[in-house]
Amino acid sequence: MKRTKVKAVLQTAPEGQEVLVKGWVRTKRGNKYVTFIAVNDGSTIHNIQVVADMNLFTDESLRDITTGASVSVLGTLVQSQGKGQTVEIQARTIEVLGTADPETYPLQKKGHSLEFLREIAHLRPRTNTFGAVLRVRHAMAFAVHQYFNEKGFFYIHTPIVTASDAEGAGEMFRVTTLDPVNPPLTETGEVNFAEDFFGRSTNLTVSGQLEGEVVAMALSEIYTFGPTFRAENSNTSRHLAEFWMIEPEMAFYELEDNMDLAEDFLKYLVRYALDNCQDDLQFLNDMYDKELLNRLNFVVGNEFQRLTYTEAVEILKTAKQKFEYKVEWGTDLQSEHERYLVEKHFKKPVILIDYPKEIKSFYMKLNEDGKTVRGMDVLFPGIGEIIGGSQREEDYEKLVARMREVGVPEKEMWWFLDTRRFGTVPHSGFGLGFERLLLFVTGMGNIRDVIPFPRFPKNAEF
Ligand code: ATP
Ligand code: MN
């Protein structure tokens, strides 16, 4: 007989039909007449209740059915007598596929802290919390592709190993096959990367943007969705060393169009979660954050506040709140400032634009004032920056001038500069940190809890 997933079983009208379910035991309880076994197979946050009539089973035959054990249950689907569920399975046979010794199974008891669960990242998908988070994660990934597909954007795979270190000098992971003990040396005693696998020094990518721009100059509207790596030693609840980023890049888009897309995209994703992840979001709302659903609904239903960096600095300078870091025009805003604007001042998502050029990347388009660039950051409650983007500098001369100013190696970037030499057009794009999005949608407080196997300083065990 074919197995039915628990999610489907729970949606089936019970007419005493035969069903086969397989999954992991969450709880077992009962008395001498009957034993109740809650089985979960990850298809939904809900368990199916399996009822074992003790006229048919013995304590001995159910001995190995303990929390964490895997079982295969054959029985009939009936209306549930008890509260809390509509259907249940009257078991005919229960086969234990794998035992889980109660003495040593780490998830024997409920209610472990998220910190503890991080130490058993290989088992935490079996908890309600991580099951919910991982299902929402899947739904959001799917929605990303659906959104762009509906809009005629093409999904582009940009390289993971790159030679350009234009963006994040010093924050990159080196990729090499050279012997770390005895590397080949140049005449001046430096490691000779000409002898490395690619004949040059290479790194893991920090962003697919530059390659994305190249393809957007042919297919008009593209997006990337892949892993990115940053060796920044920031041990915060919002940074990972390996995270996933969605980077749309659009020919013929100006900053205004870019903002419209970012806002529409984020609202689409949140709406998709509300429509398709109700059970999981309700669980997360009840367990961790009673304001979660309100917040999600609020974001979907309200316009984002758009203002310039300069206006934001004025607001922050006259704010009553004491900040750890002082705000001056020209300094980068800290997370505390971003969150003040979003959570206290405007009480809604904010898009900040026109940043001082000194604190933004070389490729952003210079404004007429010569001081600011057409960058945009989308700031979200509880998170701060969720999206960073810009209109790109499409003028060859201006771009080169800017590269020289900040010391980006022109020679290595010849292929990128070619986009401005041949058929250049105004274009824009942005990067959405997938895990930052998930922080917002799930209401989890730490970015390490929205990715199955988090990578952060001193941690790559699982
Ligand atoms: P932040 O200032 O928060 O460190 P950033 O300005 O370095 O971020 P960008 O280079 O603009 O980030 O990257 C685009 C997006 O990628 C950010 O808006 C954020 O959502 C996400 N992001 C950046 N760094 C990380 C990280 N270390 N871990 C997870 N997400 C990140
Ligand atoms: Mn940024």
Side-chain angles (χ1 to χ4, degrees):
M1 193 182 175
K2 232 179 126 197
R3 164 203 182 203
T4 311
K5 288 205 199 165
V6 170
K7 184 178 182 184
V9 170
L10 292 173
Q11 288 164 352
T12 305
E15 292 160 347
Q17 65 271 54
E18 189 152 89
V19 288
L20 175 66
V21 301
K22 299 181 183 189
W24 293 267
V25 174
R26 283 296 171 79
T27 56
K28 182 174 84 168
R29 61 189 174 83
N31 51 45
K32 49 185 203 241
Y33 308 109
V34 64
T35 299
F36 299 106
I37 306 158
V39 175
N40 186 283
D41 68 359
S43 59
T44 158
I45 193 148
H46 301 297
N47 305 325
I48 182 78
Q49 170 153 285
V50 173
V51 186
D53 181 342
M54 295 313 277
N55 290 319
L56 297 173
F57 295 88
T58 62
D59 282 340
E60 181 56 22
S61 72
L62 299 183
R63 192 196 53 204
D64 284 343
I65 298 179
T66 57
T67 300
S70 47
V71 292
S72 174
V73 179
L74 186 67
T76 52
L77 192 64
V78 299
Q79 191 97 45
S80 180
Q81 309 295 307
K83 275 208 205 107
Q85 65 275 325
T86 52
V87 298
E88 61 191 25
I89 296 175
Q90 219 103 57
R92 201 161 71 241
T93 61
I94 306 175
E95 186 191 345
V96 176
L97 302 173
T99 58
D101 184 351
E103 297 294 319
T104 53
Y105 182 55
L107 296 175
Q108 183 59 30
K109 295 227 158 46
K110 277 184 150 184
H112 292 298
S113 72
L114 294 170
E115 287 79 10
F116 172 74
L117 291 176
R118 244 170 259 152
E119 290 166 20
I120 51 165
H122 62 303
L123 292 174
R124 64 180 188 171
R126 299 190 191 189
T127 61
N128 281 331
T129 299
F130 285 90
V133 166
L134 293 178
R135 280 185 297 271
V136 173
R137 189 179 165 104
H138 159 80
M140 289 295 86
F142 182 80
V144 164
H145 290 299
Q146 180 161 291
Y147 178 82
F148 287 123
N149 188 54
E150 282 170 4
K151 283 190 125 38
F153 283 55
F154 299 104
Y155 178 31
I156 301 302
H157 297 100
T158 48
I160 291 173
V161 177
T162 61
S164 74
D165 62 353
E167 269 224 89
E171 293 188 348
M172 304 185 91
F173 290 99
R174 187 182 291 289
V175 175
T176 180
T177 54
L178 295 180
D179 179 355
V181 181
N182 262 319
L185 299 178
T186 61
E187 275 162 23
T188 52
E190 273 143 36
V191 176
N192 187 6
F193 288 106
E195 286 188 36
D196 205 346
F197 188 89
F198 295 105
R200 63 196 307 153
S201 115
T202 49
N203 303 289
L204 293 177
T205 183
V206 294
S207 155
Q209 179 196 319
L210 302 187
E211 295 89 350
E213 282 189 49
V214 166
V215 184
M217 290 303 108
L219 301 190
S220 282
E221 292 172 335
I222 62 97
Y223 69 106
T224 73
F225 186 177
T228 50
F229 306 85
R230 296 198 185 172
E232 53 194 0
N233 199 0
S234 40
N235 249 313
T236 78
S237 57
R238 298 174 308 112
H239 290 88
L240 289 164
E242 175 181 297
F243 65 99
W244 289 67
M245 186 145 61
I246 298 132
E247 295 178 276
E249 190 69 37
M250 299 76 62
F252 315 110
Y253 270 52
E254 309 216 336
L255 189 61
E256 202 70 22
D257 310 308
N258 205 19
M259 285 193 275
D260 290 345
L261 181 75
E263 181 166 346
D264 186 59
F265 179 44
L266 285 168
K267 285 177 172 168
Y268 178 94
L269 294 175
V270 174
R271 198 178 306 117
Y272 188 94
L274 285 167
D275 290 346
N276 294 277
C277 307
Q278 286 146 338
D279 294 353
D280 289 322
L281 292 183
Q282 190 66 53
F283 171 82
L284 293 166
N285 184 87
D286 298 346
M287 276 295 284
Y288 292 102
D289 181 353
K290 301 274 187 289
E291 281 303 305
L292 174 63
L293 290 172
N294 286 342
R295 214 161 45 237
L296 298 183
N297 279 305
F298 181 83
V299 161
V300 167
N302 287 277
E303 302 266 281
F304 296 3
Q305 181 73 41
R306 300 179 183 190
L307 72 159
T308 65
Y309 167 91
T310 304
E311 289 165 337
V313 167
E314 283 314 308
I315 291 170
L316 290 165
K317 279 173 113 172
T318 54
K320 293 226 170 60
Q321 180 154 330
K322 270 250 172 296
F323 296 115
E324 196 182 325
Y325 293 89
K326 214 170 154 238
V327 191
E328 276 307 327
W329 198 96
T331 60
D332 211 352
L333 298 185
Q334 301 293 321
S335 161
E336 57 175 339
H337 308 130
E338 297 175 342
R339 292 184 58 173
Y340 175 84
L341 292 170
V342 174
E343 291 160 29
K344 301 264 162 59
H345 191 83
F346 291 111
K347 297 193 164 61
K348 55 158 94 165
V350 167
I351 309 183
L352 281 187
I353 60 166
D354 295 345
Y355 283 83
K357 64 176 179 183
E358 287 78 15
I359 60 171
K360 288 291 181 191
S361 300
F362 73 93
Y363 50 71
M364 295 192 185
K365 187 176 173 68
L366 197 60
N367 277 315
E368 243 110 78
D369 62 12
K371 290 193 306 194
T372 60
V373 289
R374 313 198 104 179
M376 63 167 212
D377 279 6
V378 181
L379 313 178
F380 258 37
I383 290 169
E385 179 184 333
I386 193 166
I387 278 179
S390 65
Q391 181 170 345
R392 319 305 190 187
E393 182 58 77
E394 84 272 20
D395 183 279
Y396 179 85
E397 301 299 334
K398 286 186 189 156
L399 185 59
V400 169
R402 191 75 192 120
M403 286 168 88
R404 287 187 188 146
E405 252 172 66
V406 298
V408 174
E410 227 176 294
K411 242 172 122 184
E412 282 171 35
M413 300 288 286
W414 65 274
W415 54 273
F416 181 66
L417 286 169
D418 266 5
T419 56
R420 275 64 169 178
R421 291 180 62 215
F422 308 117
T424 191
V425 297
H427 64 287
S428 302
F430 60 80
L432 167 64
F434 189 50
E435 285 77 18
R436 298 252 175 111
L437 168 77
L438 286 169
L439 275 180
F440 181 72
V441 172
T442 63
M444 299 298 280
N446 193 313
I447 198 160
R448 296 170 187 181
D449 296 333
V450 295
I451 187 165
F453 301 100
R455 296 284 174 264
F456 51 91
K458 303 276 177 290
N459 186 289
E461 182 160 353
F462 306 95

